């Protein structure tokens, strides 16, 4: 609404509804994850196996950087 007021823009009801829904989703995700390290909302839930694979990949990358 501030953008439309500042630019004297015109918007359709559909565009306003989409903007309000996106804003509500953004605020909800912010409140859910504020102060926490969390996966992106579009990312899949990680299993213990996924985390173990990521850990091994990071270890290999770190060894490669250190020249081991």
């Amino acid at each position: 609404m501030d953008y439309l007021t500042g630019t004297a823009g015109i918007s359709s009801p559909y565009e306003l509804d989409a903007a309000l829904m996106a804003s509500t989703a953004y605020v909800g995700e912010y409140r859910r994850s504020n102060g926490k390290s969390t996966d992106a909302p579009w990312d899949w839930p990680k299993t213990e196996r996924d985390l173990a694979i990521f850990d091994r990949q990071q270890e290999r990358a770190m060894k490669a950087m250190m020249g081991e």
Side-chain angles (χ1 to χ4, degrees):
M1 291 304 296
D2 288 339
Y3 172 79
L4 292 175
T5 302
T7 61
I10 297 173
S11 193
S12 71
Y14 171 78
E15 291 171 320
L16 288 175
D17 190 43
L20 289 173
M21 285 177 28
S23 179
T24 300
Y26 176 85
V27 170
E29 284 301 313
Y30 174 79
R31 288 183 178 151
R32 180 186 70 83
S33 64
N34 191 19
K36 293 186 254 178
S37 177
T38 184
D39 292 331
W42 58 85
D43 207 358
W44 79 94
K46 305 294 186 302
T47 65
E48 289 299 319
R49 183 173 181 272
D50 293 328
L51 296 174
I53 291 169
F54 292 146
D55 286 344
R56 284 194 304 274
Q57 289 172 339
Q58 288 177 346
E59 276 182 39
R60 282 195 302 260
M62 188 59 98
K63 286 181 180 179
M65 287 188 291
M66 301 303 275
E68 295 179 22

